[in-house]
Amino acid sequence: MDSAAPTALAPHVFGASDPEGFAAMGVVETLVHTHDIARGLQRDGDPPEDLSKRVLARLFPDVTLADSASSTLLWATGRLETPARPRRKDWRWYGAPRGRH
């Protein structure tokens, strides 16, 4: 069976991504879309702090943590605004480590 090296990069809409970046993207998708669904059902669906902090560090090097990691993740993905931060209309994540985009 052939396999790619753990350092291999693959194309993505926002640029190249390594395997860890693709896994982190899947986590973000799960967290923020669960939040979207829960909000539509008028339920609490805030992402867990530990996972939010980890994916922020991995995919959003341009984002400074503010308040909680979960609210920062939701802000980073354009889902909410805060008094200090207007809603992001244009955002992206970085699937490859810095310098390898």
Side-chain angles (χ1 to χ4, degrees), residues 31-32 35-36 45-47 69-80:
L31 295 178
V32 300
H35 172 266
D36 297 341
D46 287 347
S70 62
S71 67
T72 301
L73 178 62
L74 295 172
W75 173 82
T77 56
R79 282 165 169 78
L80 60 82

Side-chain angles (χ1 to χ4, degrees), residues 1 8 10 16 19 21 26 35 42 45 48 54 58 60 63 66 69 83-84 92-93 95:
M1 175 180 199
H35 172 266
Q42 299 177 340
R54 291 178 71 182
R58 179 59 181 80
F60 296 94
V63 170
R92 64 161 295 167
W93 54 43

Side-chain angles (χ1 to χ4, degrees), residues 5-41:
T7 57
L9 298 180
H12 186 271
V13 173
F14 289 137
S17 181
D18 64 3
E20 183 182 86
F22 270 108
M25 287 182 224
V27 171
V28 169
E29 293 287 356
T30 301
L31 295 178
V32 300
H33 290 302
T34 297
H35 172 266
D36 297 341
I37 293 165
R39 192 160 176 197
L41 296 171

